[in-house]
Amino acid sequence: MSVHLRSLRILAGKRALVSQVSLHILPGQITVLVGASGSGKTLTARSLLGLVHGIEPGIVAADLEIQDGEVIHRPYAAVDRERAFVPVRGPLIAWLPQNPRAALDPLQAVGAQIRDCLKLSGQNTGLDVAPEPWLERVSLAKSVGRLYPHQLSGGMAQRVGIALALARGSRFLIVDEPTTGLDPSLRAGILEELKRARDSGVGLLLITHDLRLVRQLGDHLLVMDRGCIVEDRPAQDLSAMQSAQAQALWQATLRLEARQ
Amino acid sequence: MSALRPWAGVALLLLPVLIWVLSLAANYDVIADVDVSRASLAPSVDHWLGCDHLGRDVLWRLITASESFVGPSLFACVVALVIGVPAGALSGWLGGLPASLTRFGLTTVASLPRFVLVLLVCAAFGNSVQLIALAAGVAYAPTLAEAIYARIQSFRHRGFVLAGQAHGLRSGRILWLHLLWVNHRRLILRHCVQLFAYFLLLETTLSYIGGLDGAGSFGVAQPDPSWGNMIAFEWREPQANIWATLAPGLATALVLLGATWTGRSLIEEQA
């Protein structure tokens, strides 16, 4: 099973926010999407779920293909796109948004939200809708289940977000800047979590500013700049990147590391 | 003291409801209970709040009067909920032209002063408590709908709604469960409490006015008891038992105070 997005174009009025973006997510691999702020990373990610609203008039043209053996699902080609995205959102692709605290229902306890997610995924019919194992899986105490989102620290909220995404049991996971604002040990913990998900066969799309992540766990690298993909290559040898923008980003990362 | 206020509020607010249940269970015939020999009797062991100038027991009338507002004001709440919640929720969620049209209708109703609207309904369709309740519910619905609309509108593009959609939650479930039930139930309850208090005040006011003009053309008319017409009926009597006017006035004030305290405790801090 794999996800292929081809020639994505998002227009706001006559201005193209994203143009000619293509990417592939494969099971058991981490595709890293890197780019400056405002380069269209999040929009690209949301277009995989058909959730690009709030942009007026928000014209989206894309060829999204989700291939499962012989079966090919093309939600953007469907007449009723909303309906065509129903099997995609959740069962196939889950999304961990940039600000995980805002992504949690502010007036519902964390445990209840995980339980809802488990019920939704249907993989635990009957007995096993307990949120505790999922909290432990992301190294949170069982008692966190009783807390409300405003009582969580940033790192806890991030890990609850990951627990929710894992509990949903999706085949692919889009993770939007998961390590922003976290200290190194938490960061390492979350990366560990993502690796574990990859090793269990989940395909990941990781969105970040941080090229160092690519070295640590990337399989494939995409660099976006002003709505276009400027670099599309395996994540092994980053110094050989072709485009000026990607090189600039890479040099900046090296300078930062040298200073640290 | 301030920590006790919410509980005191709820207690004061539940008191008329309990009295109402008691009154329905006791089914005491206050209209037949007239005895001129005990006119304007002061409070005693037999008559805890004394009697009015026709010799009717004040406490029993006070209790039975709850029937003239508790049931109808609950009915008014149901009317406001049935109109206001779907109108506010759907227009907030869907936006666009349907929302504009719905809100135009609601604001038109809201632009009429509620009291005038209720008086108009009384004048046009007759004067029954149920009708007043219906009118009050309809008149209050725009306020509820606008409050829900404003919040749903601001919640619609929040991260957790988007995240819910990304997890595959159906729109209906997000709207009714996550937005309305989880995030709006306090708001809705607060408006119900407010409407309850508003209806009590409305019914008492109308019955008071009706009691003063003697014809009973507004609100609940004598000999049926209401806290409003009890005050109007007694306060000009020279030798009156003071509790016959004081008791319904105090009761009204306490229930309104209870509603205010309860309502305040339901205001949540904005997330």
Side-chain angles (χ1 to χ4, degrees):
Chain A
M1 183 173 249
S2 53
V3 176
H4 306 278
L5 178 70
R6 292 193 195 93
S7 53
L8 171 70
R9 220 150 57 95
I10 301 175
L11 298 176
K14 281 183 179 167
R15 212 160 68 86
L17 300 176
V18 172
S19 53
Q20 295 307 323
V21 164
S22 300
L23 61 86
H24 310 279
I25 315 176
L26 305 173
Q29 285 206 7
I30 299 185
T31 304
V32 189
L33 185 57
V34 183
S37 299
S39 58
K41 306 185 298 286
T42 302
L43 273 181
T44 304
R46 275 166 60 172
S47 71
L48 290 169
L49 290 158
L51 287 175
V52 193
H53 35 54
I55 313 157
E56 300 295 335
I59 300 162
V60 184
D63 179 17
L64 177 63
E65 194 177 285
I66 297 153
Q67 205 172 345
D68 187 6
E70 295 292 294
V71 186
I72 294 177
H73 187 59
R74 276 205 176 84
Y76 278 110
V79 181
D80 186 352
R81 284 185 185 179
E82 266 308 300
R83 179 174 300 223
F85 269 108
V86 166
V88 178
R89 293 175 189 159
L92 286 177
I93 306 179
W95 176 54
L96 182 61
Q98 212 161 11
N99 178 354
R101 203 200 307 265
L104 299 170
D105 188 333
L107 294 184
Q108 201 179 23
V110 164
Q113 298 191 42
I114 296 180
R115 198 173 294 125
D116 274 1
C117 222
L118 285 167
K119 276 187 204 153
L120 207 60
S121 70
Q123 61 185 18
N124 293 294
T125 40
L127 292 174
D128 206 16
V129 288
E132 287 80 11
W134 298 93
L135 288 169
E136 282 175 349
R137 215 178 132 174
V138 290
S139 344
L140 288 170
K142 283 179 187 170
S143 56
V144 172
R146 286 197 303 273
L147 299 181
Y148 287 85
H150 72 273
Q151 296 169 307
L152 303 175
S153 74
M156 287 162 92
Q158 189 64 264
R159 281 179 285 168
V160 167
I162 293 183
L164 273 175
L166 294 176
R168 188 65 183 87
S170 313
R171 313 283 293 268
F172 299 96
L173 191 54
I174 302 168
V175 195
D176 200 345
E177 299 189 13
T179 55
T180 317
L182 298 186
D183 70 46
S185 67
L186 276 180
R187 213 175 90 112
I190 282 180
L191 295 186
E192 206 44 55
E193 217 36 71
L194 297 180
K195 269 186 206 163
R196 224 188 297 171
R198 169 184 67 182
D199 295 340
S200 67
V202 174
L204 282 104
L205 178 66
L206 175 63
I207 298 172
T208 179
H209 303 291
D210 192 349
L211 273 176
R212 286 172 297 176
L213 289 186
V214 185
R215 262 192 323 201
Q216 286 165 22
L217 42 68
D219 294 299
H220 197 87
L221 170 69
L222 297 162
V223 180
M224 269 188 97
D225 184 56
R226 277 171 264 170
C228 302
I229 299 242
V230 293
E231 192 79 40
D232 185 350
R233 54 180 294 113
Q236 272 77 37
D237 187 11
L238 295 185
S239 56
M241 287 192 295
Q242 302 294 316
S243 71
Q245 295 94 329
Q247 270 298 341
L249 205 58
W250 176 235
Q251 294 305 328
T253 311
L254 289 180
R255 276 202 300 280
L256 188 68
E257 277 185 340
R259 202 178 299 168
Q260 281 170 352
Chain B
M1 177 59 209
S2 58
L4 287 176
R5 213 173 267 175
W7 299 109
V10 173
L12 285 176
L13 201 58
L14 282 180
L15 204 60
V17 180
L18 282 176
I19 290 175
W20 177 55
V21 174
L22 182 79
S23 165
L24 288 178
N27 201 17
Y28 185 78
D29 189 359
V30 281
I31 294 168
D33 181 34
V34 184
D35 183 353
V36 189
S37 70
R38 37 176 222 220
S40 300
L41 213 61
S44 65
V45 179
D46 291 334
H47 308 282
W48 291 4
L49 289 175
C51 299
D52 67 6
H53 73 269
L54 290 184
R56 303 180 294 189
D57 185 273
V58 171
L59 184 61
W60 269 118
R61 288 184 70 75
L62 198 69
I63 290 171
T64 312
S66 64
E67 288 178 33
S68 66
F69 75 87
V70 176
S73 67
L74 293 177
F75 172 61
C77 288
V78 170
V79 171
L81 285 177
V82 165
I83 301 173
V85 171
L90 289 175
S91 52
W93 182 255
L94 298 174
L97 189 65
S100 302
L101 288 176
T102 313
R103 292 186 64 219
F104 179 76
L106 291 173
T107 1
T108 309
V109 178
S111 66
L112 293 165
R114 277 190 219 136
F115 193 68
V116 174
L117 193 73
V118 172
L119 286 182
L120 274 176
V121 169
C122 283
F125 301 106
N127 174 41
S128 82
V129 189
Q130 285 74 18
L131 205 63
I132 297 173
L134 182 70
V138 172
Y140 196 85
T143 311
L144 179 63
E146 276 297 297
I148 294 176
Y149 168 82
R151 259 176 73 147
I152 295 263
Q153 161 92 340
S154 80
F155 272 54
R156 185 165 61 134
H157 293 304
R158 286 249 191 129
F160 76 95
V161 173
L162 212 55
Q165 283 174 317
H167 273 302
L169 280 178
R170 299 299 176 95
S171 300
R173 198 175 152 88
I174 295 178
L175 178 57
W176 298 110
L177 181 79
H178 284 273
L179 287 181
L180 277 174
W181 174 243
V182 176
N183 282 290
H184 283 72
R185 58 182 179 213
R186 284 169 79 103
L187 177 95
I188 292 169
L189 187 60
R190 179 153 55 86
H191 277 280
C192 286
V193 168
Q194 207 167 321
L195 176 53
F196 185 88
Y198 171 72
F199 184 81
L200 167 60
L201 200 58
L202 184 72
E203 185 271 319
T204 308
T205 310
L206 283 174
S207 305
Y208 177 77
I209 297 171
L212 282 185
D213 85 344
S217 49
F218 295 112
V220 177
Q222 291 278 3
D224 285 324
S226 145
W227 291 353
N229 73 21
M230 283 171 75
I231 299 173
F233 195 63
E234 276 301 290
W235 78 288
R236 282 176 299 193
E237 289 299 315
Q239 300 289 310
N241 162 22
I242 189 162
W243 287 102
T245 40
L246 211 51
L250 273 177
T252 312
L254 283 176
V255 175
L256 292 180
L257 187 67
T260 308
W261 283 351
T262 311
R264 285 209 155 191
S265 69
L266 284 171
I267 296 176
E268 63 243 283
E269 279 159 39
Q270 279 297 320

